[in-house]
């Protein structure tokens, strides 16, 4: 890769070195702090946070990827936990796409129909995050049902 340093930085060699080191730094691996600290920083202030009021109750939901229940809690947070599961529709018309990210950043993708993906998901979650097994299967069933409904189309009633 050729380094493209702006002309005005060539006059200042120290600034040029800083600019070059900034270009080739992997910023996703720079911050090393615990998941608890990340949760404390993001639990009340996040771009993914959605606050709703239902009667006298206030609920906080979250739109982040990797959050299975869409609830703003540490257990389900996709930002704060290293071990996360993301379930979404993808691939063919009736295919689920499940991404399981382990702590080392290794991502395993499960594809296929519902029965095959559910069996693979149960096998993958054994010993990984057993607390999320029931929620992950529930979300996989919900997404699969929405795919089937979208494939069937909307039926119009005759009046």
């Amino acid at each position: 890769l050729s380094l493209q340093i702006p002309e005005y930085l060539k006059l200042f060699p120290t600034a040029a070195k800083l600019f070059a080191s900034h270009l080739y730094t992997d910023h996703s691996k720079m911050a090393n702090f615990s998941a608890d600290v990340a949760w404390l920083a993001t639990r009340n202030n996040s771009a993914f946070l959605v606050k709703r009021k239902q009667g006298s109750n206030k609920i906080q939901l979250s739109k982040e990827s990797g959050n299975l229940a869409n609830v703003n809690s540490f257990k389900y947070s996709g930002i704060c936990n290293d071990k996360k599961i993301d379930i979404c529709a993808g691939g063919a018309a009736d295919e689920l796409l499940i991404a399981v990210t382990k702590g080392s950043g290794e991502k395993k993708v499960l594809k296929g129909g519902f029965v095959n993906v559910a069996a693979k998901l149960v096998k993958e979650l054994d010993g990984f995050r057993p607390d999320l097994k029931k929620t992950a299967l529930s979300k996989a069933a919900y997404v699969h049902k929405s795919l089937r409904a979208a494939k069937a189309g909307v039926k119009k009633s005759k009046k």
Side-chain angles (χ1 to χ4, degrees):
L1 294 174
S2 63
L3 184 62
Q4 299 294 327
I5 299 175
E7 289 296 321
Y8 64 89
L9 283 180
K10 290 182 180 177
L11 299 173
F12 307 101
T14 308
K17 287 180 186 177
L18 285 173
F19 181 77
S21 68
H22 180 73
L23 282 179
Y24 295 107
T25 303
D26 187 7
H27 296 288
S28 64
K29 296 180 182 177
M30 281 181 60
N32 269 340
F33 49 88
S34 71
D36 295 323
V37 172
W39 173 247
L40 288 174
T42 60
R43 70 178 173 180
N44 291 326
N45 301 311
S46 173
F48 303 109
L49 187 61
V50 178
K51 295 181 180 181
R52 296 279 185 242
K53 189 174 182 180
Q54 290 181 328
S56 62
N57 297 332
K58 293 180 182 178
I59 59 172
Q60 290 186 347
L61 303 173
S62 181
K63 296 188 291 186
E64 64 197 43
S65 66
N67 190 331
L68 291 175
N70 293 336
V71 176
N72 188 34
S73 72
F74 178 72
K75 176 181 178 180
Y76 297 114
S77 177
I79 296 174
C80 299
N81 290 318
D82 291 336
K83 299 176 178 181
K84 52 190 159 205
I85 304 158
D86 195 17
I87 298 175
C88 59
D94 197 19
E95 222 175 48
L96 286 175
L97 179 71
I98 297 177
V100 178
T101 306
K102 298 196 175 180
S104 62
E106 165 192 343
K107 186 182 268 191
K108 186 169 186 178
V109 177
L110 308 174
K111 289 184 184 178
F114 178 71
V115 175
N116 293 332
V117 168
K120 290 176 190 176
L121 184 62
V122 168
K123 187 177 177 183
E124 189 68 31
L125 291 180
D126 283 338
F128 175 62
R129 289 274 313 258
D131 59 328
L132 294 181
K133 186 185 294 186
K134 185 177 178 183
T135 310
L137 286 173
S138 174
K139 177 135 186 198
Y142 179 75
V143 170
H144 183 260
K145 186 176 179 181
S146 70
L147 284 174
R148 286 186 14 232
K151 185 178 178 184
V154 178
K155 295 181 182 177
K156 296 182 180 179
S157 62
K158 294 181 182 179
K159 292 186 178 182

